[in-house]
Amino acid sequence: MSSTNEKKHESLEGEVLSIIFQSEDSGFAVVSLRDNNVAVTVAGDFSPVASGEYLKLHGTWSEHPKFGKQFKATWSEKTSPTTLDGLKKYLSSGAFEGVGPDMARRIVDHFGDSTMKALEGGSKTLQAVNGIGPKRASTLAELFKEGRDKHRVMAELRGFGLNAKQSNKLYEMFSAEAINRIHADPYALVIWVRGIGFKTADRIAMQIGIERDSAIRAGGICVHLLNEAKSEGHCCLPESEVIASLQASELSEPSIIEGIKSVVKNGRVVLESAADDSGVPCFYLPELLNAEISVAENIKRLQGCNEHIVASFDEVENVIARTEYPPDESQRLALDMALAESFCVITGGPGTGKTTTMRLLLEVLHTAGVQRIMLASPTGRAAKRLAEATGHEASTIHRLLKFDPISGQFSKNEEDPLEVDYLVIDEVSMMDLKLCASLLSAVPDNAKVLLVGDADQLPSVGAGAVLRDFVASVNVKTSRLERIHRQGKGSGIVSAAHAILNGEVPQTVQGDNGIGDFFISYHDDAEQATEVLQKVITERIPDKYGIDVDKDLLVLSPMYRGALGVNDLNDRLSHSLNPNGNGPVWARGLRVGDKVMVTRNDYDREIFNGDTGKVTAISDNEVTVEIGEYLHYYGSDELNDLIPAYCVTVHRAQGSEARAVVIALTSSHFPMLRRNLLYTAITRGKDLVVLVTSPYALRQAVANNEESRRFGGLLARLSK
């Protein structure tokens, strides 16, 4: 072996003896490698590798709890086998369909050291081998050609700095033409392969010699601007803003004009006049424009199929008579609307009776004999809460529509619609435009749809402001519940939330039981505020309220960076709440015993975005997380699926609820000091909310009722 110093990068090379583990999706593999006649275990990010191949590697040595000492490869290069035995093993490894050990032996015995050259000679050369006829030779020659082409293309793709998963995706799409496609327009990589961003595409463009002031780059920046806008919630951008940004990128006018023309012509961008009467032209990504149009058209379709659900006056009154909390006039009007309309919305803040109205509706529907009723929410957390609140089964919208993670598509759509008569969707403020379009497309003509949510909360993380647009549209029937009912009158949390909505600074309120449930702790000094926050979390809440901080506590901050930001608090709370965390540190600084949050729905594991768990074990390539009653294993290719969860952003906490919520809000969070953000944070708490803030920060947040504008044309399309 080249070296034995475990602290430095080393080189290693040898023949692949066997494949211990290989992931086709990620490219991660564990192999046994012969190096100087010694078998060693090697792990790394490889393109598909076969027994008998020869690998040149760079990396470091480490100790794996399962596999023992192994070499972690950070760079690899594949070459043809160098021995006759290696050639035989390579040819019979499965890399070439139909070539078994016997066929491999005959080929190698015939050609010897010239085997690889002979394979490149085509079918006529292969016919010289005993037992290989013209048809078989032709098939084998084609397989070898494909293998050679793939080897060449994959090597070039890896040379661009792409990982195995990205390289495999490109080869699947374009085969041997992948390199030519990249040279023609490297900025298209952003569209072709998930995970490749503009910076990577721009670096590759420079690598292949594309000028900084070029039409190709201008078009790439245009698409990038729209993708960035989408990540900030916009569905489109005004033409003037896009051109101004391109000009700021030091692109010449001719390059800008030609670049825009190019991406419009090839369909990556659509330029459309505003959906309203302003006539302002806007740039759209095609999928968002199509989603806007689809949502507006499907609502009109559903409104046109207005077959009323039959429920007699006596049936409704009998249901109301049995309920513990009879509806007030506004709730009764909302109930009547939900029974009569094909598509409608109920909105309102905490304690205004949205859940009560939903329960009444469901009971009336059952009394009226409606059989096919479905309930769903955008997230697993929200769906679980909906089921608990109503006593009816509820699912995520993704599960309802039968999302296929492999294709990234929904099985339920306009061609195969949902088998439903009445559909209730809760927490609609979290539903983005594209998800809404997919949902409504799958609703059959004669079904009724009720959307429920709080329009005053933060809008969805994804593009669009769907609920706000629905509530603002004169063509969408909406009931707004505003009266706080008996369940919420004694709640300091509810009182604080509504005070904020009214532009008033909330006050600590004593609950009906003599124990307050909403507290404000004022501190101008950030370090002092941090100390108080830590003490509240580690001592006061568990001691006074008996709340399990691991399972029943949410700590929220508006921003990731800065004092009392998510990153800072996660680091501090990790050491306060998990002082004995030991062993190796994994991605994002995770240690054994740390609290983590899942960031992606995983239907195979039955876990969802927002679920929390605890790290129970860490190795070089894997972390074990206990979520609920089960252990789940995350590999190195799933780094982005887990984040520290001692503290999360308010946006990340949408749809969640906890017995206790602690909120950090300081002057350093100035860009995010907004009324709807504070309101959303406070309404996550069920039994206790503690706000650690400064007088200035709180006043600023309450006073700032300016909503971040989201560019889009849905409201205008709904109003036509």
Side-chain angles (χ1 to χ4, degrees), residues 2 33 65 209 265 292 326 345 362 382 403 450 479 485 516 555 574 619 630 643 687-688 692:
S2 307
L33 188 83
K265 185 178 179 180
E292 277 191 0
V345 175
L362 293 170
F403 179 71
L450 171 64
S479 280
H485 291 271
V555 182
S574 171
S619 69
Y630 301 98
I643 60 172
D687 302 330
L688 175 68
V692 180

Side-chain angles (χ1 to χ4, degrees), residues 220-249:
I221 294 176
C222 180
V223 175
H224 170 63
L225 290 170
L226 292 176
N227 277 315
E228 287 287 291
K230 181 175 72 171
S231 69
E232 296 170 1
H234 301 293
C235 296
C236 61
L237 284 177
E239 181 185 35
S240 57
E241 287 202 13
V242 172
I243 291 176
S245 295
L246 289 170
Q247 290 170 337
S249 301

Side-chain angles (χ1 to χ4, degrees), residues 201-515:
D202 201 39
R203 174 182 56 75
I204 293 172
M206 301 301 105
Q207 190 175 336
I208 63 178
I210 290 177
E211 299 290 335
R212 294 191 63 80
D213 183 19
S214 65
I216 291 177
R217 188 165 185 266
I221 294 176
C222 180
V223 175
H224 170 63
L225 290 170
L226 292 176
N227 277 315
E228 287 287 291
K230 181 175 72 171
S231 69
E232 296 170 1
H234 301 293
C235 296
C236 61
L237 284 177
E239 181 185 35
S240 57
E241 287 202 13
V242 172
I243 291 176
S245 295
L246 289 170
Q247 290 170 337
S249 301
E250 300 180 353
L251 290 159
S252 64
E253 203 68 26
S255 294
I256 293 173
I257 294 171
E258 189 60 34
I260 290 174
K261 283 183 180 178
S262 176
V263 290
V264 170
K265 185 178 179 180
N266 63 33
R268 292 179 197 163
V269 170
V270 180
L271 180 60
E272 186 189 74
S273 296
D276 57 19
D277 296 328
S278 67
V280 176
C282 291
F283 284 109
Y284 278 87
L285 293 173
E287 71 264 22
L288 294 178
L289 175 60
N290 293 335
E292 277 191 0
I293 295 170
S294 175
V295 168
E297 289 181 346
N298 276 300
I299 289 176
K300 291 175 183 177
R301 171 179 63 84
L302 293 170
Q303 290 173 332
C305 302
N306 201 14
E307 293 184 6
H308 297 279
I309 291 175
V310 177
S312 70
F313 177 82
D314 288 341
E315 287 173 330
V316 177
E317 289 299 314
N318 287 336
V319 169
I320 292 173
R322 295 194 300 268
T323 188
E324 183 178 0
Y325 301 109
D328 63 15
E329 183 179 356
S330 63
Q331 290 175 313
R332 179 59 190 268
L333 289 172
L335 176 62
D336 290 341
M337 176 194 69
L339 290 169
E341 298 295 331
S342 297
F343 183 91
C344 59
V345 175
I346 295 176
T347 187
T352 57
K354 298 190 299 294
T355 302
T356 298
T357 306
M358 277 194 291
R359 283 198 294 258
L360 285 172
L361 171 67
L362 293 170
E363 194 166 347
V364 170
L365 292 176
H366 285 294
T367 302
V370 181
Q371 299 296 320
R372 301 187 302 176
I373 303 171
M374 293 181 176
L375 282 69
S377 289
T379 69
R381 293 165 293 168
K384 184 179 180 181
R385 287 174 51 201
L386 179 60
E388 293 171 349
T390 62
H392 293 264
E393 182 182 349
S395 73
T396 64
I397 298 174
H398 280 74
R399 182 171 292 281
L400 184 75
L401 299 179
K402 297 184 178 179
F403 179 71
D404 181 1
I406 297 175
S407 66
Q409 303 296 317
F410 294 107
S411 298
K412 291 294 180 181
N413 48 44
E414 59 270 19
E415 296 178 359
D416 183 17
L418 296 167
E419 296 178 358
V420 63
D421 295 315
Y422 204 108
L423 177 63
V424 179
I425 306 296
D426 195 23
E427 294 286 0
V428 179
S429 63
M430 301 175 63
M431 184 167 63
D432 63 35
L433 177 69
K434 288 184 67 176
L435 184 58
C436 183
S438 297
L439 175 69
L440 297 183
S441 295
V443 178
D445 285 349
N446 293 319
K448 310 306 184 213
V449 178
L450 171 64
L451 305 181
V452 183
D454 188 346
D456 293 312
Q457 287 191 22
L458 291 169
S460 61
V461 175
V466 170
L467 181 58
R468 290 182 187 175
D469 287 344
F470 288 163
V471 171
S473 174
V474 296
N475 291 329
V476 176
K477 296 289 185 180
T478 301
S479 280
R480 182 180 282 274
L481 305 178
E482 296 179 334
R483 179 184 172 188
I484 303 175
H485 291 271
R486 67 185 75 184
Q487 308 98 300
K489 286 181 177 178
S491 168
I493 298 171
V494 172
S495 298
H498 285 273
I500 290 167
L501 282 184
N502 293 328
E504 303 168 1
V505 175
Q507 305 294 322
T508 295
V509 178
Q510 198 80 348
D512 289 343
N513 57 3
I515 301 176

